[in-house]
Amino acid sequence: MFSRPGAAPFTERTPRVVAARKLTRRAERDKTGRFLAEGANAVEAALAHAWDGGGTVHELFVTERAAAQYGNLLAVADEAGVPVSPITDRAAGGLSETVTPQGIVAVCALVDRPLSTVVAAGARLVVVLVDVADPGNAGTVIRVADAAGADAVVLAGDSVDPHNGKCVRAAAGSLFHPAIARVRDVSAALEACSSAGLRTLAAHGYAETELDRVDLAPPTAWVFGNEAHGLPADVLGATDLAVRIPLYGRAESLNLATAAAVCVYTTAMAARQPNG
């Protein structure tokens, strides 16, 4: 099923593997317009995304063990015309940022799109991350947004690159589902949401308004801030309403991913009520 039947596996010194390894760096991803999707979940989602016309899988690297385990994915890649190249376990380790690589890695086109095409009229639920630094948190929020049926996720300001390996793994395939945009200008992200008819709600631990007091049925864009510092004052001031999640126990706060899950899912459920 390999595109190179009978050929010796690529090693960590093979030029194509060396080039792929460089994609673990953001500068190289931005330069080439490519990133690595590692693991069966991410590869399956990448191939489905490509079939839907939403992106491109340039090449699939796979070890002998992974080829035996994930033959269905190799069949999909072969049918889609994606080159499938065998690699050694050591080469797979070089492409992986995990302790125990699965041995299957796809080289994909970047998934982000221009803000104007991602946040448009008709959107019902959008998630905006402002200066979110941890890729694991960003990936988890993207997964939450996908599960809740959000239309888009916007990474604004100094937020992490969503194509970062840890972010891709945390998203567990969801990076390929909601529309993704990256924009440095936070105000532009908020203005795009407002122009699309979305009310902007800022998650803020010290807000006067509690989540259970807000009508969440209308089209909404949730805005979440940095893990340590939250949202800057100017961003809070630019949103329509700051909202806090009530804490009924003794915990001081919720982490970013948990707070996002509560806010985004509560909104998704409200929008699906008969009168929503």
Side-chain angles (χ1 to χ4, degrees):
M1 196 171 291
F2 288 125
S3 296
R4 301 168 52 249
F10 288 155
T11 73
E12 69 278 9
R13 295 186 178 88
T14 302
R16 294 232 293 274
V17 175
V18 172
R21 172 63 181 163
K22 292 179 181 178
L23 297 176
T24 59
R25 302 196 298 264
R26 181 169 185 167
E28 189 69 15
R29 293 193 295 268
D30 289 341
K31 175 184 174 182
T32 62
R34 300 182 178 191
F35 75 106
L36 299 180
E38 179 193 353
N41 285 343
V43 169
E44 181 178 14
L47 291 170
H49 185 59
W51 266 116
D52 292 339
T56 301
V57 178
H58 295 283
E59 185 168 13
L60 185 62
F61 294 110
V62 62
T63 63
E64 182 179 2
R65 174 182 56 81
Q69 185 174 358
Y70 304 115
N72 60 318
L73 296 182
L74 270 64
V76 172
D78 186 62
E79 187 177 355
V82 175
V84 179
S85 300
I87 57 174
T88 63
D89 289 337
R90 187 166 180 177
L95 295 176
S96 175
E97 297 176 86
T98 64
V99 177
T100 55
Q102 291 186 32
I104 184 165
V105 182
V107 178
C108 307
L110 300 183
V111 300
D112 62 306
R113 293 161 28 198
L115 179 65
S116 59
T117 67
V118 166
V119 180
R124 295 282 305 178
L125 180 58
V126 171
V127 176
V128 181
L129 301 180
V130 178
D131 300 337
V132 170
D134 184 84
N137 279 336
T140 301
V141 174
I142 290 171
R143 186 177 183 180
V144 165
D146 179 25
D151 298 283
V153 178
V154 180
L155 293 101
D158 291 323
S159 287
V160 67
D161 176 13
H163 306 97
N164 172 288
K166 186 176 180 180
C167 183
V168 176
R169 290 192 301 277
S174 288
L175 184 67
F176 298 95
H177 297 157
I180 304 287
R182 289 187 286 174
V183 58
R184 294 284 299 178
D185 188 344
V186 178
S187 61
L190 298 181
E191 288 169 9
C193 292
S194 296
S195 297
L198 296 157
R199 174 188 51 174
T200 53
L201 300 182
H204 180 50
Y206 300 100
E208 293 183 7
T209 304
E210 293 188 341
L211 180 64
D212 55 359
R213 304 296 183 185
V214 180
D215 177 11
L216 296 172
T220 299
W222 273 103
V223 185
F224 301 99
N226 175 269
E227 296 88 343
H229 309 295
L231 289 165
D234 60 329
V235 175
L236 283 171
T239 60
D240 294 320
L241 180 67
V243 180
R244 65 182 172 91
I245 299 171
L247 301 177
Y248 304 118
R250 298 174 62 183
E252 181 182 350
S253 63
L254 296 173
N255 65 25
L256 169 63
T258 303
V262 171
C263 294
V264 173
Y265 244 94
T266 301
T267 304
M269 289 187 290
R272 284 163 173 75
Q273 293 301 310
N275 60 345

